[in-house]
Structures are given as structure tokens and as C-alpha cells.
Amino acid sequence: MNLDNPKELELEIRKVVEATIEKDISAAGLDDNVLKKMGLDSMTALEIMAAVEERFKVRIQEQDLPKITSLRSIMEVLVRYLKKKEMK
């Protein structure tokens, strides 16, 4: 995964979210609150994060979960964890 290519990362995250919630999110903008827009609850947010963790082989800390509401926020949190992982 090329962290310098935000469009590639966005597409991967969209795939993970769509597979997890089994809904098309192509109409969702990067800054839309995906949870509210799609009528999802906090349990679904946990499922999305678990799927993101599995796909990208990272462990996202619980304190970051409330920050994750939009595709952009998922990308920002994920990039931070992937960069930490690269530094190890």
C-alpha cells in the first residue's frame, strides 16, 4: 500500500467499509459522517474498525474510535498507525 497515494488508500477503505456494512457508499464524500449518512450504530463502527485493522494489519487503539466518523478520518487514523508500523 502506497501511503503517498491518498486516492488508492481511499478506494481500499471504501471497499472495506462497503464489504463490512454490505451497502454502497459511493455517494459518500470524504468528509461525510458515514455512520449517520448510512444509519449505522456504534457496533457497526466497531465492525468497520475491526475490518480495517484486519485488512491493513494494524491495531487501532480504543481511544481513536470516537475520531472515526468519515472516510477522511479513517484514512488519517490509519495512516498514522501505518507510519508507526513502518518505523518499527
Side-chain angles (χ1 to χ4, degrees):
M1 173 63 51
N2 181 359
L3 296 181
D4 295 326
N5 186 340
K7 194 65 180 168
E8 182 181 332
L9 184 59
E10 177 191 345
L11 290 174
E12 281 300 311
I13 290 172
R14 282 181 183 275
K15 286 180 194 175
V16 170
V17 172
E18 285 180 341
T20 304
I21 66 172
E22 298 177 344
K23 292 182 181 180
D24 176 20
I25 63 165
S26 59
L30 275 178
D31 296 310
D32 290 344
N33 185 322
V34 177
L35 301 177
K36 286 183 182 176
K37 187 168 188 151
M38 303 308 283
L40 306 174
D41 60 16
S42 58
M43 282 303 292
T44 306
L46 288 171
E47 290 173 18
I48 290 169
M49 286 322 307
V52 168
E53 288 176 331
E54 184 177 319
R55 164 62 184 89
F56 294 98
K57 310 292 186 237
V58 296
R59 175 73 178 111
I60 296 172
Q61 299 299 310
E62 197 172 313
Q63 71 261 16
D64 285 322
L65 188 59
K67 300 174 189 171
I68 298 170
T69 56
S70 67
L71 295 170
R72 185 180 312 278
S73 63
I74 294 172
M75 289 172 61
E76 289 169 352
V77 168
L78 180 59
V79 165
R80 193 173 75 238
Y81 280 91
L82 289 172
K83 285 184 178 181
K84 281 184 192 177
K85 184 178 170 182
E86 283 181 354
M87 294 172 73
K88 290 184 178 182

